């Protein structure tokens, strides 16, 4: 059986495509760089982090964008006629007053690992844009048309425009083609495909929260009209009808289903195998209960599907409730490389599983300056929206232990470095070594930022020597705390026990849609020159349980 989620942790808005025997899934990254991870599989059960689409932080400049803005909902497709990969993505620049200012782009490449073309601007009609390659060679861009007017249903309708690949622009203005297959409202995430005699439109409805779902419609003409699937929604965490077109809020916690471990199931994309089997990837979340807070963010799950005799797509078990365990495909199982638990920084290059907010990690992290270490040059504070030196990876379980060994000699109080648990620039925990003017020497302490309010907990400050020091983070369900040691044994707890659930979309006021990260950080807010050397980074999941 396949165990869900297949991509745990912050891996939302999946889009899957196939080239020959290879299957690729792309997910959203918002303000994190590199942007748009692509996962690879040969059997739909074993997945590896393969590459990233966006690696140029000059061309795609995310600096100063608030959390949850940036790169939204990539659509990865492969055009066999051109032997070309296409990725359509949006850059959300602002959500002020619910105007949602987004620019949509497309990039192409012959190889999934690139090089990728320069971004081609499509339009700014709305978000979740996708590309459809028709059999006659025509191409279409489908997206949500974001509605800003009073008195109209929000967030809007699905619109479409033909794309001229030679001129590299859409033809005319997008036209509205679909208002949804249910009355859950909040339609988004459209994908257009073709199967048999029909064009199919697959969307998410209900908002990317607890009423989320996957719906479908079909038409014999690309421009419609599209008829609703009579069994909508086809995948969800909350079966049954709901009438929410009047409410544009996306979260809707009142639709939490205690009978399902996977919540928020929706935003789907499917792939057909050479065997005739069909699988659908969708986002999901596993909240703490009863808080209904999803510290790991929105994750990626898979469901086995099938086509009915009358041409509708259904879950293979005949239900529409997203499952934790899914039957494997008939493809031979092929294990793939996984992210290592222990990284000694001795491979000559930085692992592709590391991310930084808004800038590429190589701007401040160097694995060649000192053998078997990563040297992190401090920049602005970890609250910065501009240049923060945070080298992080995704938290994939709420039962984890993270450890590092650091050498750092701070000279002024503007110097600090250490281990961080980070949801966004307004919500984090930071075990840091810094220079204390009060003690006139180096010290360690914990800083917390909770919805923008800072607590330094100086009553737990400890003076330390300028020698190598071990920092450790424990995440044990709803409890999170730090410890430290000089020699990697006999760790001593430092600071409070913090509430893990608060690192979530549902609690954080300044960001949403992402997930919790853990990593290494260094600050030099005086001259942006002081650095810390980290000997290793160890990340251990202790269990797959989430609540």
């Amino acid at each position: 059986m396949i165990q869900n989620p297949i991509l745990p942790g912050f891996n939302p808005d999946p889009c899957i495509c196939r080239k020959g025997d290879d299957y690729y899934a792309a997910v959203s990254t918002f303000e994190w760089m590199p942007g748009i991870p692509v996962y690879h599989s040969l059997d739909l059960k074993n997945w590896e982090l393969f590459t990233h689409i966006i690696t140029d932080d000059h061309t795609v400049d995310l600096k100063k964008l608030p959390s949850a803005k940036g790169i939204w909902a990539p659509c990865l497709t492969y055009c066999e006629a051109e032997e070309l990969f296409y990725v359509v993505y949006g850059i959300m620049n602002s959500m002020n007053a619910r105007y949602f200012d987004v620019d949509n782009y497309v990039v192409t490449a012959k190889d999934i690992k690139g090089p990728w073309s320069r971004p081609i601007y499509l339009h700014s009609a709305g978000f979740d844009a996708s590309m459809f390659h028709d059999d006659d060679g025509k191409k279409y861009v489908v997206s949500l048309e974001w509605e800003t007017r009073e008195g109209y249903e929000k967030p809007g309708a699905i619109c479409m425009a033909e794309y001229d690949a030679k001129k590299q622009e859409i033809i005319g203005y997008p036209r509205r083609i679909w208002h949804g297959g249910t009355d859950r409202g909040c339609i988004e995430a459209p994908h257009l495909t073709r199967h048999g005699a029909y064009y199919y439109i697959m969307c998410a409805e209900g908002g990317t929260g607890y009423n989320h779902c996957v719906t479908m419609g079909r038409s014999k003409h690309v421009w419609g009209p599209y008829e609703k699937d009579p069994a909508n929604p086809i995948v969800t965490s909350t079966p049954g009808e709901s009438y929410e077109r009047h409410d544009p809020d996306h979260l809707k916690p009142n639709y939490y289903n205690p009978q399902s471990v996977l919540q928020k199931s929706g935003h789907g994309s499917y792939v057909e195998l050479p065997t005739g089997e069909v699988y659908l990837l969708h986002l999901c979340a596993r909240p703490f209960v009863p808080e209904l807070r999803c510290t790991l963010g929105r994750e990626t799950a898979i469901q086995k599907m099938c086509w009915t005799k009358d041409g509708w797509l259904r879950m293979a078990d005949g239900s529409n409730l997203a499952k934790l365990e899914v039957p494997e495909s008939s493809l031979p199982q092929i294990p793939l490389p996984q992210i290592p638990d222990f990284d000694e920084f001795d491979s000559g290059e930085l692992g592709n599983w590391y991310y930084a907010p808004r800038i590429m990690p190589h701007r401040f992290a160097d694995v060649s300056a000192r053998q078997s270490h990563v040297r992190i040059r401090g920049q602005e504070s970890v609250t910065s929206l501009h240049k923060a030196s945070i080298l992080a990876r995704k938290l994939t379980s709420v039962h984890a232990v993270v450890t590092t060994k650091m050498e750092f000699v701070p000279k002024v109080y503007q110097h600090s470095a250490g281990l961080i648990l980070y949801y966004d620039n307004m919500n984090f925990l930071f075990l840091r070594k810094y220079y204390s003017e009060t003690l006139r020497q180096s010290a360690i302490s914990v800083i917390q930022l909770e919805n923008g309010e800072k607590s330094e907990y100086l009553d737990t400050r400890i003076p330390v020597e300028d020698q190598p020091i071990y920092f450790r983070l424990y995440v044990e369900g709803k409890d999170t705390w730090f410890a430290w040691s000089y020699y990697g044994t006999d760790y001593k707890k430092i600071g409070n026990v913090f509430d893990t659930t608060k690192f979530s979309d549902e609690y954080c006021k300044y960001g949403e849609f992402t997930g919790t990260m853990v990593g290494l950080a260094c600050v030099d807010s005086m001259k942006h020159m002081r650095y810390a050397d980290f000997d290793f980074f160890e990340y251990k999941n202790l269990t797959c349980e989430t609540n």
Side-chain angles (χ1 to χ4, degrees):
M1 300 291 280
I2 302 175
Q3 300 294 320
N4 276 321
I6 55 170
L7 305 179
F10 168 34
N11 286 293
D13 311 325
C15 181
I16 187 170
C17 85
R18 170 183 156 230
K19 178 189 176 185
D21 295 328
D22 296 291
Y23 298 85
Y24 301 104
V27 297
S28 295
T29 38
F30 298 88
E31 69 264 33
W32 290 90
M33 291 290 281
I36 312 180
V38 174
Y39 294 87
H40 170 242
S41 178
L42 294 165
D43 57 16
L44 299 181
K45 179 178 182 178
N46 299 286
W47 294 83
E48 63 175 326
L49 178 57
F50 200 59
T51 188
H52 293 82
I53 307 300
I54 306 299
T55 57
D56 183 348
D57 56 9
H58 287 305
T59 302
V60 181
D61 187 359
L62 305 180
K63 291 191 296 295
K64 301 183 181 179
L65 288 183
S67 181
K69 313 308 179 288
I71 301 171
W72 280 33
C75 170
L76 171 63
T77 55
Y78 181 70
C79 180
E80 291 188 1
E82 300 173 287
E83 297 182 341
L84 201 63
F85 286 99
Y86 282 73
V87 173
V88 176
Y89 63 91
I91 300 291
M92 182 60 69
N93 295 301
S94 170
M95 291 160 57
N96 293 339
R98 292 188 63 81
Y99 273 98
F100 281 51
D101 295 301
V102 61
D103 296 328
N104 295 302
Y105 298 90
V106 62
V107 292
T108 60
K110 284 289 185 181
D111 189 289
I112 192 69
K113 288 195 171 183
W116 289 87
S117 69
R118 64 176 180 83
I120 299 165
Y121 173 73
L122 296 172
H123 61 54
S124 299
F127 56 79
D128 291 357
S130 65
M131 180 80 77
F132 169 60
H133 313 276
D134 206 349
D135 295 342
D136 61 4
K138 291 186 177 181
K139 301 181 187 298
Y140 301 88
V141 176
V142 192
S143 68
L144 169 70
E145 181 188 52
W146 186 257
E147 182 59 73
T148 61
R149 299 169 293 179
E150 292 299 324
Y152 289 78
E153 182 183 330
K154 295 178 174 59
I158 301 303
C159 66
M160 186 169 76
E162 187 177 345
Y163 176 68
D164 188 325
K166 291 184 178 180
K167 293 184 178 179
Q168 297 185 335
E169 62 184 18
I170 63 170
I171 300 172
Y173 291 102
R175 291 163 45 187
R176 299 179 198 114
I177 63 168
W178 184 239
H179 290 269
T182 71
D183 285 317
R184 296 192 182 202
C186 290
I187 188 172
E188 57 189 347
H191 290 284
L192 201 60
T193 56
R194 193 167 185 173
H195 178 79
Y198 287 96
Y199 294 93
Y200 289 85
I201 187 165
M202 176 176 281
C203 292
E205 296 184 39
T208 185
Y210 290 92
N211 201 31
H212 209 198
C213 66
V214 179
T215 65
M216 289 193 83
R218 72 182 183 186
S219 173
K220 289 191 175 181
H221 305 281
V222 69
W223 289 101
Y226 285 82
E227 63 172 315
K228 300 177 182 179
D229 185 332
N232 275 332
I234 63 169
V235 177
T236 187
S237 298
T238 54
E241 295 186 6
S242 59
Y243 302 91
E244 296 286 350
R245 285 188 180 271
H246 66 284
D247 184 1
D249 175 58
H250 74 275
L251 194 55
K252 296 182 174 67
N254 54 302
Y255 284 97
Y256 167 74
N257 178 11
Q259 305 304 315
S260 179
V261 173
L262 300 183
Q263 298 291 319
K264 303 184 181 181
S265 295
H267 199 122
S269 169
Y270 74 92
V271 65
E272 300 194 50
L273 282 58
T275 59
E277 298 167 286
V278 185
Y279 282 83
L280 181 145
L281 267 62
H282 64 91
L283 71 77
C284 65
R286 296 174 290 167
F288 283 104
V289 179
E291 295 86 356
L292 298 188
R293 296 173 182 168
C294 303
T295 292
L296 301 180
R298 298 173 304 158
E299 308 172 286
T300 288
I302 192 169
Q303 305 296 331
K304 187 167 188 177
M305 312 294 289
C306 64
W307 291 104
T308 64
K309 291 181 180 180
D310 56 349
W312 289 110
L313 193 61
R314 299 280 184 270
M315 287 182 61
D317 68 355
S319 78
N320 66 351
L321 181 66
K323 302 296 190 301
L324 270 174
E325 292 189 339
V326 177
E328 299 166 9
S329 75
S330 58
L331 299 171
Q333 289 192 34
I334 302 178
L336 295 170
Q338 298 299 296
I339 298 172
D341 290 344
F342 194 85
D343 186 3
E344 294 183 282
F345 303 110
D346 58 357
S347 68
E349 60 183 22
L350 197 62
N352 69 347
W353 53 89
Y354 291 110
Y355 297 86
R358 299 172 185 82
I359 57 176
M360 286 293 291
H362 71 260
R363 300 290 178 196
F364 59 83
D366 186 355
V367 293
S368 62
R370 181 179 176 186
Q371 186 175 2
S372 298
H373 288 74
V374 62
R375 176 165 292 176
I376 299 181
R377 177 178 58 84
Q379 298 183 98
E380 297 174 356
S381 73
V382 289
T383 67
S384 174
L385 298 177
H386 188 228
K387 292 181 180 180
S389 298
I390 301 172
L391 186 68
R393 59 176 288 179
K394 298 171 182 180
L395 183 69
T396 57
S397 169
V398 291
H399 296 272
V401 177
V402 182
T403 310
T404 191
K405 179 183 178 184
M406 179 183 75
E407 292 182 54
F408 178 61
V409 182
K411 293 296 185 181
V412 293
Y413 77 88
Q414 291 94 341
H415 295 164
S416 61
L419 191 59
I420 193 166
L421 183 142
Y422 182 98
Y423 181 82
D424 61 28
N425 66 298
M426 302 294 265
N427 293 273
F428 58 78
L429 300 173
F430 186 23
L431 172 57
R432 59 175 186 145
K433 181 181 179 183
Y434 70 105
Y435 182 78
S436 168
E437 289 189 357
T438 304
L439 300 176
R440 296 183 181 179
Q441 70 166 95
S442 295
I444 59 174
S445 72
V446 177
I447 284 183
Q448 177 187 24
L449 212 65
E450 182 176 328
N451 282 326
E453 294 188 13
K454 184 176 72 169
S455 300
E456 293 197 11
Y457 301 110
L458 293 180
D459 57 329
T460 62
R461 173 182 55 197
I462 299 172
V464 294
E465 301 299 323
D466 285 327
Q467 67 179 66
I469 192 168
Y470 291 77
F471 283 168
R472 177 169 284 179
L473 169 71
Y474 293 90
V475 181
E476 292 194 4
K478 297 178 183 181
D479 295 333
T480 293
W481 70 93
F482 289 105
W484 73 281
S485 167
Y486 277 129
Y487 304 107
T489 58
D490 300 321
Y491 281 88
K492 304 176 184 67
K493 179 179 172 295
I494 178 172
N496 301 337
V497 175
F498 299 94
D499 184 351
T500 312
T501 76
K502 290 183 176 181
F503 297 90
S504 61
D505 288 9
E506 292 84 352
Y507 185 81
C508 295
K509 296 179 180 179
Y510 297 93
E512 53 196 345
F513 307 139
T514 60
T516 304
M517 312 285 277
V518 290
L520 313 172
C522 185
V523 177
D524 177 0
S525 54
M526 173 64 77
K527 298 177 71 175
H528 299 182
M529 293 174 58
R530 203 70 183 170
Y531 59 82
D533 286 343
F534 295 87
D535 188 18
F536 66 86
F537 185 80
E538 183 180 42
Y539 173 97
K540 285 186 177 180
N541 282 341
L542 300 183
T543 175
C544 293
E545 296 298 323
T546 59
N547 54 29

